[in-house]
Structure formats: structure tokens, C-alpha cells
Amino acid sequence: MINKAEILSKVDDILNTNTEKLVILKDICTLLQEKVYHYDWVGFYELDSSKEVLVLGEYVGKPTEHTNIKVGKGVCGQVAENKLTMVVQDVSSIDNYISCSIDVQSEIVAPVLKNGEFVAEIDIDSHATAPFTKADEELLEAICSMVSVLY
């Protein structure tokens, strides 16, 4: 079970005790992976200056070859395009899925919006099928709102 209040309090502490964006994002990734059992890979993708490609930033988990994702491709690219959180409880059920690892069974991606515009996103992969609940969506959307000040 997710302790949303505790995690959001710790994210607030991270934001208030660090000034470097990369340190803040890495600490948030680490916190989430440690506190939520079904978060096996946690990372941030940022929109590049062309606004056509997502670039992998800070993350924790196994390395991925997907360091650049075109907007519109895969779950991450669709979130960038639509500006809406996307939950995929079974990655084998979607055609446009970009597989980062054979271990990934499900994924949730939430957008970071600055003045209503997409600037980044948080991406969570899980090795479990269908682990995500409304609590995950609410937690990640709250974190994305909090980190929007970094952009």
C-alpha cells in the first residue's frame, strides 16, 4: 500500500533541500523505487528543444537503450503528445509499446506540465501485471505538479 502523504512529504523535503535539478530528480526516483514495492524502474524523460523527442534524464533501475523516444511513440511518447497520465496494466496488450526489458509487465507514465505545456514525464515500469491503482496515479500526478517548478 502506498503511503501518499509520507512520500509527498519526502518529495517536498527533497525539493526544499536541494538546488540542482538532476540531484532532485535522482533523489525522487530513488525514493519512489524504495518506498513502492511495485516500482521496479523509475525515471524522468524530458522534452528536447525540438519538441519532437523525449530524452532520458535521471532514473533508477536497469539501464535502458531507450534514451530517446519520439513524441507519439510508445507509452512515453503518447503521454507527451496527449498530456494525460497513461496506465498500462499489461504491456503485451498494446501495439505501440516500446519494451525496455523482458521483465516489464506494466507501466504508468504521468506528465509534468508547465503552464499547461508538456515539459517532462515520470515513467514507472513494474515487473508485476496490473499493480497500479488510482493511488499510483494520484501520487505521480502530485509529484509531477511539484517538480514542474524545476522547468
Side-chain angles (χ1 to χ4, degrees):
M1 179 152 175
I2 294 175
N3 186 334
K4 182 179 168 188
E6 175 192 353
I7 293 171
L8 291 178
S9 174
K10 289 183 187 238
V11 169
D12 191 52
D13 289 345
I14 290 168
L15 283 163
N16 289 316
T17 57
N18 294 294
T19 56
E20 287 187 51
K21 180 170 82 168
L22 297 180
V23 172
I24 292 168
L25 296 178
K26 182 71 165 201
D27 287 352
I28 291 170
C29 291
T30 301
L31 170 71
L32 289 173
Q33 189 184 48
E34 289 174 354
K35 292 292 183 184
V36 185
Y37 77 95
H38 56 279
Y39 289 8
D40 295 298
W41 190 95
V42 181
F44 283 92
Y45 282 91
E46 297 183 351
L47 192 61
D48 78 342
S49 59
S50 74
K51 300 192 183 296
E52 295 178 10
V53 177
L54 295 167
V55 178
L56 179 61
E58 297 303 306
Y59 72 94
V60 293
K62 288 183 181 177
T64 177
E65 63 189 44
H66 301 289
T67 57
N68 293 288
I69 299 173
K70 288 188 72 107
V71 170
K73 298 292 181 189
V75 177
C76 290
Q78 290 176 64
V79 169
E81 193 170 62
N82 301 326
K83 301 186 221 177
L84 298 170
T85 299
M86 188 169 175
V87 178
V88 179
Q89 299 287 17
D90 179 0
V91 297
S92 69
S93 69
I94 62 171
D95 295 331
N96 194 13
Y97 182 68
I98 299 172
S99 178
C100 289
S101 161
I102 60 168
D103 298 324
V104 177
Q105 300 297 310
S106 55
E107 182 173 15
I108 183 171
V109 181
V112 177
L113 305 176
K114 182 76 170 191
N115 300 321
E117 293 301 315
F118 178 89
V119 292
E121 62 191 22
I122 190 166
D123 178 19
I124 311 286
D125 291 341
S126 180
H127 297 167
T129 302
F132 301 117
T133 67
K134 191 71 176 161
D136 293 285
E137 289 182 59
E138 291 170 357
L139 172 66
L140 297 175
E141 288 172 354
I143 290 170
C144 286
S145 178
M146 293 170 80
V147 301
S148 69
V149 299
L150 302 172
Y151 295 90

